[in-house]
């Protein structure tokens, strides 16, 4: 599970574990990284993560979430504070304690949470019109639905980042044979990826554009083509600036 910066594409934090067994779920891994986020951050997550426990833990840290509702959660738009058609501020009640949670952790949870839920139309993978329910802990009714839904759909950038890590960085297959070496392999690849993203940020700043307007693959090719000259000459700044351009 990775926390990826929406602005720059860098991997801010990540966690991995054995492939099966107790404590290996995505939500468990995410909760182990929550302290990485700062107050006023917004976590854009897929539909697996907007649970009562995760949202409560985020709000304790002053962090908001924008996501879409899990398909098993039933939403009744006739309840709560109605903001418009299929748009309301709902009250979520604390669920029963789960086995992995201690009594102390359970009692520390609030009894209720308030989230905004509204219905939007989307285009499914088959091209047909579908509906999804956006879930947001940002409950200010003056914020338009489109602003929140557009923010959620930008999450697709992170799917492209994962593709770049797996394909461009060749991390689609772990080639090491022991857990310790697999960990080193993952860390080394993500270090290289973040260094590439850092270069992309510097290049974007120099041209007053957004880092996400640049290509990971193109950056890799530029690094590979400029590296021999950078190693062979003393004119570091001149060459580096040309490289960023």
């Amino acid at each position: 599970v990775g926390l990826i910066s929406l602005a720059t594409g860098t991997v801010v934090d990540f966690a991995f574990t054995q492939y099966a067994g107790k404590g290996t779920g995505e939500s468990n891994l995410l909760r182990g990284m929550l302290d990485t986020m700062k107050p006023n951050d917004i976590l854009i997550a897929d539909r697996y993560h907007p649970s009562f426990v995760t949202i409560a833990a985020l709000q304790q840290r002053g962090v908001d979430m924008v996501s879409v509702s899990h398909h098993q959660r039933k939403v009744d738009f006739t309840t709560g504070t109605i903001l418009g058609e299929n748009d309301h501020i709902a009250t979520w009640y604390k669920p029963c304690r789960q086995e992995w949670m201690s009594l102390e952790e359970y009692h520390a949870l609030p009894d209720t949470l308030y989230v905004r839920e509204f219905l939007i139309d989307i285009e499914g993978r088959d091209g047909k019109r579908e509906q999804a329910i956006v879930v947001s802990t940002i409950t200010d009714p003056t914020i338009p639905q489109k602003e929140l839904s557009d923010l959620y759909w930008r999450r697709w950038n992170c799917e492209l980042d994962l593709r770049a890590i797996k394909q461009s960085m060749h991390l689609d297959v772990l080639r090491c044979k022991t857990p310790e070496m697999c960990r080193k392999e993952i860390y080394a690849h993500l270090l290289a990826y973040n260094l590439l993203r850092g270069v992309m940020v510097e290049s974007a700043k120099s041209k007053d554009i957004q880092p996400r307007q640049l290509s990971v693959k193109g950056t890799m090719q530029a690094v590979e083509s400029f590296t021999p000259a950078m190693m062979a000459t003393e004119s570091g700044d001149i060459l580096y600036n040309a490289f960023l351009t």
Side-chain angles (χ1 to χ4, degrees), residues 181-198:
M181 290 305 296
C182 282
R183 291 188 186 97
K184 291 181 178 179
E185 187 177 4
I186 293 171
Y187 273 98
H189 278 80
L190 293 182
L191 172 61
Y193 173 78
N194 272 359
L195 288 171
L196 280 176
R197 284 293 187 182

Side-chain angles (χ1 to χ4, degrees), residues 13 27 34 65 68 79 109 121 132 150-151 171 177 198 219 232 235:
D13 200 356
S27 293
L34 296 185
M65 173 188 277
V68 290
T79 62
L109 294 174
D121 292 323
D150 285 353
L151 179 61
L171 195 57
K177 303 299 183 183
T219 303
S235 56

Side-chain angles (χ1 to χ4, degrees), residues 72-146:
Q72 292 183 342
R73 178 179 288 279
K74 295 182 179 179
V75 178
D76 182 0
F77 286 111
T78 65
T79 62
T81 303
I82 298 175
L83 304 178
E85 185 180 2
N86 295 327
D87 185 1
H88 71 165
I89 297 175
T91 303
W92 286 10
Y93 295 95
K94 181 162 63 173
C96 297
R97 183 173 70 91
Q98 301 178 40
E99 291 183 0
W100 57 266
M101 184 181 294
S102 68
L103 278 173
E104 183 180 4
E105 291 173 323
Y106 183 73
H107 291 315
L109 294 174
D111 292 329
T112 57
L113 291 174
Y114 298 98
V115 297
R116 183 177 180 182
E117 299 171 319
F118 58 87
L119 193 67
I120 60 171
D121 292 323
I122 61 174
E123 183 176 318
R125 293 183 179 180
D126 57 0
K128 296 181 180 179
R129 302 300 294 177
E130 299 178 3
Q131 291 184 319
I133 298 173
V134 174
V135 178
S136 172
T137 58
I138 304 171
T139 56
D140 183 349
T142 64
I143 296 178
Q145 290 184 5
K146 189 176 187 304

